[in-house]
Amino acid sequence: MSDNKENTPMVNTGEYFTSGNLAVAEGSLAAGCKFFGGYPITPSSEVAEHMSIKLPQTKGHFVQFEDEIASIASILGASWGGWKSMTATSGPGYSLMLENIGLGIMTETPCVIVNVQRAGPSTGLPTLVGQQDIQQARWGSHGDYEIIALSPNSVQECFDLAITAFNLAEEFRVPVTILMDETIGHMSEKLVIPEKEKIEIVNRKKPTDEADGHLPYKADEDLIPPMAVAGEGYNVITTGLTHDERGYPALEADAQKVLLTRLLDKIRKNKDKIIRLEEYMLDDAEFVIISFGISSRAAKGAVNLAREKGLKVGYLRLITIWPFPDERIAQIAEKVKAIFIAEINSGQVTKEVQRVVKGEAEVHGLLKLGGAIHTPSEIVEEIERRLK
Amino acid sequence: MTEEEIGLLEAEEHPLDGYLRKGRIPHIWCPGCSLGSVMTVIIEAIKETDIDPKNISVISGIGCTGRTAGYLNFDSFHTTHGRAIPFAIGLGLTDPNRKIIVISGDGDLASIGGNHLIHAARRNADITVICVNNFQYGMTGGQVGPTSYKGQFQTTAPYSNLEEPFNLPELVKSCGATYIARWTALDVRRVKESFVEAINHKGFSFVEVLGACPTTYGRRNQLREGIAILESFKERAVIEHGIDTEKVAISKEGPIIVGKFVDIHDKPTLTDNLLSIQRMATASKDKGA
Amino acid sequence: MSDRIEIRFAGFGGQGIALMGRLVGEVISLHEKGKQSVMTQSYGPESRGGASSCDVVIDTQTIDYPKSTEIDYFVVMSEEAYHKYIPRLKKGGIIFVEENLVTLDDQAKKASKIFKLPATAIAETLGSRLYANIAMLGFVCANTDLFSEEAFIQVMKAKVRARFIEKNLTAFEMGKNHK
């Protein structure tokens, strides 16, 4: 067996002034990522470039594939070889990856996909910011599923959430998407990479039973099956077909129900472990701005600005976008008069909030359609206008 | 597959026991299909290589041939349509000792997965690709495909196919494949020899096996029985080792050129290159760059 | 209250505008105690050749909004960039200008101070216009409290290729000493 199997993290401890794209790459290395399969696309390419420098230094491999479909397929393969693996792309590439993200969900393959969002649809604004792949990350692959998506709002958090993403992928055996955006990806801030010992790493559960009679898709109580990988003598089996606990195709409704229920529940019943939120000035808030990613930076500025004007505005940031924090938002809705959602799309999170709030509070989208980020004063003015 | 072979697969004790997954047989393939026979030959070839079964992974795409991986009792991966090759490359790169065998059909590998096929050949990726070519899409009901020859009738070529087919050996050769062979499924002994060579080969090896699909190919092309297709292969097959692959295109009635066309050993593989890059990167890191 | 300071560097592609922002951002983030900074830049094909700009926002507190809104310091190295961004200069803000490449107009009157440097001409004495950006940063360093010379030189030595260091140090010195 190759000594590379250890997924030894590469932790470049120190203080840096660097970009979100480089930070997400460094976080992935610190999480123990050993394989990157990717295809160049603006505004994500710096992630690939950085991994192409660093991975070979840590006995990992970087391969630039012929397209994004090959990239995602390759990282699924590498994950089944026991290596933590990732790719990075933007909207058009993410569209191409979605079928195989579905394979990753069905085969319960840990891996991380970074989507540095730009404005679309189609080629759209390749070099300018967007947050328009929120629902695509949730529903883009065919069929029903639950998924995990995280959204950093600073360079430091690009690093931190890369580690979180790998940990969640390993723990829940699911592809995890990091929904960045062009502004976060390209802006530079201070990044502190801690010492290796201070970074918590989660690795996939391994089977402890004998290979003979091993049931690769029989889950433990936490609904997650231990994962043997190639070369360990378990004769691993995967298929995108509906399958039973043996991993054999089971092409009928009952087996579909059993499998899909588990795949949904392993995320739904573990929402508490997955959901991360940031709250600010919510205690006495009459109004709240919900935001995420780069938009949340303007939203927080807007909260401070509004407070200076005497408006009791609070702030909720979705660090985890999927699964959606239904319960917390419903609680907040009971206490506030209105909820504003600042996002760079036509209302993809706004509609989720409306679904959750069920009319308990007014819900207004503060929407930009891509190419520019909100300014704090813009948000405050819009809130004031809506309140008149 | 002959009745006798099906009988063997269904018998309680079987020479292939341990190499097929328990409870997966009988397989889904039609009577007269070549795939059962090809699967048996793959197992025989793997046995002959003496490679530790733990170090063998089999990867398939989608389609009738794509089901092969799921029957085999190795590490086996049934992926999405066309994507077996990049999945296999990612898997293989995690351990240079792992033997990677991709087995899939002509539509899967050369149409929807065509881009991956040519790039894997270009990179000299360390994988063996076994392409069972039945000249059309079997599982979906006999549609025309990238290897359908001119004059072939299929469900989506009801007036006959007018497009040129891929000449697969020529395609992968021009892209850099370092081992290329083609046989008909009838020639079990030579198929096995080529599988053994291909699996032992360092770099990108490609074996095209011309297979019979009586159900959706044969009955539309006056070759209703699987055996009739194989008979036609037998009559037309001409062994020409080392021939220029430009000359091995398949037409409706011309000869079917088979043999070992390419066997090159001195070209660095994808793994070789990535390990070289690791050494360059480590040296550069040690210099503090 | 916030101690937020917004700097905009602007010019045309090839002047090393983004490098100015990266260097200043890093000096402040990593070497100026108690201060944070964020650098953002205009990006992509449209930033090559044509107008190029970047922002550095500095604060003693966490920086929420990462881009400039009302510019405190406008460091401008081309006429086009001057006209594009001068409306965003805060009243009482400060302008640093490449005097041979920019003709100021009435809009500059809202600035409390204007510092003029023939940065390109200085760079040409060193053999390449490429040093103009560093000369300008020397000039900015000498005339503001934004960052210290020692920290800047430390960062520049780490970020600039060894064979260009000497001339960049000279360029910085010449900018710094310009009256």
Side-chain angles (χ1 to χ4, degrees):
Chain A
M1 199 176 295
S2 148
D3 62 347
N4 292 3
K5 280 221 166 159
E6 290 160 31
N7 289 310
T8 317
M10 182 191 219
V11 183
N12 296 309
T13 305
E15 293 191 349
Y16 304 87
F17 185 72
T18 194
S19 68
N21 279 348
L22 263 59
V24 82
E26 282 291 333
S28 301
L29 292 163
C33 177
K34 284 282 178 210
F35 185 86
F36 186 106
Y39 186 80
I41 184 169
T42 302
S44 78
S45 296
E46 295 84 2
V47 185
E49 289 165 4
H50 196 65
M51 294 306 266
S52 76
I53 297 168
K54 297 288 178 177
L55 272 177
Q57 296 176 354
T58 181
K59 287 198 171 177
H61 292 313
F62 167 90
V63 181
Q64 184 175 310
F65 277 91
E66 51 274 16
D67 57 29
E68 286 90 347
I69 304 175
S71 303
I72 180 79
S74 75
I75 72 167
L76 296 178
S79 185
W80 280 101
W83 283 16
K84 292 186 185 177
S85 60
M86 73 176 300
T87 187
T89 188
S90 186
Y94 197 72
S95 297
L96 288 175
M97 290 181 183
L98 280 161
E99 185 196 9
N100 282 280
I101 291 175
L103 180 68
I105 292 164
M106 193 61 146
T107 54
E108 304 184 65
T109 308
C111 62
V112 171
I113 304 119
V114 174
N115 178 351
V116 186
Q117 297 169 91
R118 61 195 226 187
S122 190
T123 312
L125 299 170
T127 64
L128 297 177
V129 66
Q131 293 181 318
Q132 296 170 317
D133 301 342
I134 307 298
Q135 292 293 348
Q136 189 192 30
R138 175 66 188 85
W139 297 108
S141 199
H142 57 278
D144 262 323
Y145 55 89
E146 288 284 346
I147 195 75
I148 298 174
L150 309 172
S151 177
N153 85 340
S154 68
V155 168
Q156 182 67 45
E157 207 172 52
C158 288
F159 177 88
D160 296 342
L161 287 187
I163 296 167
T164 306
F166 274 95
N167 286 351
L168 291 171
E170 292 283 318
E171 182 172 1
F172 295 100
R173 287 190 61 180
V174 68
V176 174
T177 296
I178 304 177
L179 286 168
M180 289 170 53
D181 55 65
E182 184 277 328
T183 305
I184 294 286
H186 284 148
M187 74 185 197
S188 293
E189 286 183 305
K190 186 174 179 176
L191 166 68
V192 180
I193 300 183
E195 283 162 12
K196 192 171 172 177
E197 298 70 38
K198 297 201 172 132
I199 296 173
E200 194 200 336
I201 299 294
V202 178
N203 292 312
R204 59 192 75 168
K205 282 189 298 189
K206 306 298 293 180
T208 50
D209 56 344
E210 296 287 317
D212 195 27
H214 171 67
L215 292 172
Y217 296 92
K218 183 175 166 53
D220 296 335
E221 270 183 29
D222 60 3
L223 303 176
I224 300 146
M227 183 174 173
V229 299
E232 294 180 338
Y234 280 88
N235 290 348
V236 165
I237 182 167
T238 72
T239 178
L241 289 165
T242 297
H243 47 273
D244 59 21
E245 290 181 339
R246 296 173 299 177
Y248 293 3
L251 306 186
E252 37 94 19
D254 287 345
Q256 168 75 3
K257 188 176 172 187
V258 168
L259 176 62
L260 186 54
T261 302
R262 183 174 66 73
L263 292 179
L264 297 171
D265 281 353
K266 77 173 178 181
I267 305 297
R268 288 179 182 168
K269 295 193 171 171
N270 285 303
K271 279 174 91 169
D272 289 350
K273 281 186 175 173
I274 301 167
I275 291 175
R276 286 151 174 79
L277 300 169
E278 183 196 347
E279 302 187 357
Y280 177 63
M281 298 262 187
L282 272 181
D283 287 347
D284 64 341
E286 294 175 8
F287 312 100
V288 58
I289 309 174
I290 296 178
S291 196
F292 55 91
I294 190 60
S295 303
S296 67
R297 301 277 290 245
K300 201 168 194 182
V303 170
N304 292 331
L305 206 57
R307 288 273 169 176
E308 284 170 22
K309 294 183 168 194
L311 279 172
K312 289 187 171 173
V313 179
Y315 165 90
L316 176 72
R317 177 162 74 94
L318 312 182
I319 300 170
T320 304
I321 296 196
W322 306 116
F324 201 70
D326 290 20
E327 293 77 8
R328 184 62 187 132
I329 290 174
Q331 280 172 0
I332 291 168
E334 285 175 15
K335 295 192 341 198
V336 302
K337 292 176 186 162
I339 297 175
F340 298 88
I341 297 93
E343 55 181 330
I344 307 173
N345 60 54
S346 66
Q348 298 189 18
V349 167
T350 302
K351 282 169 193 154
E352 289 296 313
V353 174
Q354 283 166 341
R355 173 183 64 76
V356 169
V357 166
K358 297 190 181 78
E360 285 288 329
E362 285 180 41
V363 176
H364 301 287
L366 306 174
L367 311 175
K368 289 183 95 74
L369 293 181
I373 64 176
H374 300 76
T375 65
S377 54
E378 219 172 36
I379 293 176
V380 174
E381 281 160 24
E382 187 64 16
I383 290 175
E384 287 176 323
R385 197 179 67 77
R386 299 283 179 118
L387 294 181
K388 268 176 194 163
Chain B
M1 170 172 294
T2 64
E3 291 296 322
E4 187 189 13
E5 281 170 316
I6 292 169
L8 272 175
L9 285 176
E10 288 172 346
E12 282 184 18
E13 286 290 325
H14 188 270
L16 302 180
D17 267 358
Y19 293 93
L20 294 173
R21 290 187 184 269
K22 278 182 200 162
R24 288 288 280 125
I25 303 298
H27 53 62
I28 63 159
W29 298 313
C30 306
C33 172
S34 300
L35 285 167
S37 161
V38 171
M39 183 167 76
T40 307
V41 179
I42 289 174
I43 292 170
E44 293 296 344
I46 289 172
K47 282 161 78 173
E48 199 168 312
T49 62
D50 274 339
I51 296 166
D52 182 349
K54 268 166 68 172
N55 288 334
I56 288 177
S57 286
V58 187
I59 302 95
S60 288
I62 295 292
C64 290
T65 317
R67 289 300 187 92
T68 310
Y71 296 124
L72 292 171
N73 199 20
F74 302 97
D75 290 319
S76 68
F77 304 88
H78 183 212
T79 66
T80 43
H81 199 18
R83 316 307 167 197
I85 286 176
F87 186 104
I89 291 175
L91 177 65
L93 287 175
T94 60
D95 188 347
N97 295 321
R98 184 172 295 134
K99 282 288 171 182
I100 298 289
I101 303 167
V102 171
I103 170 157
S104 222
D106 50 306
D108 185 80
L109 289 166
S111 187
I112 188 168
N115 200 26
H116 312 310
L117 179 70
I118 60 177
H119 284 275
R122 173 179 69 80
R123 296 173 205 277
N124 199 22
D126 302 79
I127 61 175
T128 295
V129 175
I130 295 170
C131 176
V132 182
N133 176 4
N134 64 8
F135 305 98
Q136 41 93 49
Y137 289 90
M139 186 169 268
T140 47
Q143 294 80 14
V144 70
T147 52
S148 300
Y149 49 76
K150 288 178 91 166
Q152 186 176 323
F153 289 90
Q154 294 300 149
T155 53
T156 50
Y159 307 106
S160 91
N161 174 43
L162 301 184
E163 296 175 14
E164 289 287 345
F166 265 140
N167 169 355
L168 291 177
E170 169 69 358
L171 175 69
V172 294
K173 177 172 183 268
S174 68
C175 296
T178 46
Y179 180 95
I180 304 167
R182 173 201 276 165
W183 302 105
T184 73
L186 199 64
D187 204 344
V188 174
R189 185 177 58 83
R190 291 193 179 91
V191 171
K192 190 180 84 177
E193 280 170 13
S194 275
F195 284 175
V196 171
E197 286 183 358
I199 293 166
N200 283 329
H201 182 79
K202 204 166 150 291
F204 186 85
S205 55
F206 182 83
V207 183
E208 180 182 14
V209 182
L210 304 177
C213 175
T215 308
T216 62
Y217 163 73
R219 66 194 171 102
R220 287 189 182 81
N221 293 282
Q222 295 79 49
L223 297 160
R224 188 169 292 270
E225 302 297 323
I227 198 74
I229 302 170
L230 295 175
E231 287 294 339
S232 124
F233 287 167
K234 190 179 178 184
E235 282 163 21
R236 295 158 59 200
V238 181
I239 299 176
E240 293 263 22
H241 292 302
I243 191 174
D244 185 342
T245 50
E246 263 188 40
K247 298 182 176 135
V248 306
I250 295 171
S251 61
K252 187 174 181 181
E253 277 157 358
I256 295 173
I257 315 284
V258 296
K260 180 165 82 174
F261 305 136
V262 173
D263 193 359
I264 300 167
H265 292 272
D266 52 358
K267 194 170 153 188
T269 70
L270 176 62
T271 308
D272 291 338
N273 289 335
L274 289 174
L275 294 176
S276 295
I277 285 170
Q278 281 186 353
R279 285 189 290 275
M280 291 155 77
T282 310
S284 145
K285 189 187 170 200
D286 291 346
K287 272 193 289 178
Chain C
M1 254 325 269
S2 158
D3 300 311
R4 184 178 172 107
I5 295 168
E6 300 181 352
I7 312 170
R8 167 150 293 191
F9 299 94
F12 52 77
Q15 285 181 317
I17 298 295
L19 180 64
M20 296 172 87
R22 269 203 297 280
L23 291 170
V24 171
E26 175 154 346
V27 170
I28 287 158
S29 255
L30 303 188
H31 299 281
E32 299 289 333
K33 279 216 170 67
K35 283 187 192 170
Q36 307 187 13
S37 72
V38 185
M39 196 281 279
T40 55
Q41 68 186 96
S42 65
Y43 175 79
E46 67 272 24
S47 72
R48 280 173 211 141
S52 172
S53 74
C54 72
D55 286 345
V56 174
V57 177
I58 305 166
D59 206 333
T60 51
Q61 303 170 3
T62 305
I63 298 164
D64 298 322
Y65 185 68
K67 299 200 176 196
S68 65
T69 49
E70 286 191 300
I71 299 165
D72 296 290
Y73 294 86
F74 183 30
V75 183
V76 60
M77 313 244 314
S78 83
E79 184 91 15
E80 186 192 345
Y82 169 76
H83 288 290
K84 198 167 171 188
Y85 302 120
I86 188 67
R88 302 259 306 276
L89 182 73
K90 190 192 264 181
K91 196 170 182 323
I94 294 170
I95 298 174
F96 285 84
V97 61
E98 188 348 319
E99 61 184 332
N100 294 332
L101 295 179
V102 182
T103 312
L104 301 177
D105 61 7
D106 283 354
Q107 297 178 86
K109 285 182 180 165
K110 64 179 167 179
S112 62
K113 286 183 194 164
I114 298 171
F115 294 94
K116 297 180 180 179
L117 182 76
T120 310
I122 288 174
E124 280 169 347
T125 67
L126 297 170
S128 168
R129 294 176 171 207
L130 291 176
Y131 304 114
N133 57 349
I134 301 299
M136 180 58 92
L137 287 178
F139 191 51
V140 171
C141 181
N143 291 289
T144 67
D145 296 326
L146 287 171
F147 54 90
S148 79
E149 180 181 349
E150 296 71 29
F152 184 86
I153 286 171
Q154 192 185 334
V155 168
M156 191 167 70
K157 281 181 173 170
K159 292 279 157 186
V160 175
R161 280 190 199 163
R163 62 195 163 106
F164 297 123
I165 275 291
E166 274 314 309
K167 292 210 169 164
N168 274 308
L169 286 172
T170 311
F172 187 85
E173 195 67 18
M174 289 171 79
K176 195 185 79 179
N177 294 333
H178 185 82
K179 297 296 173 195

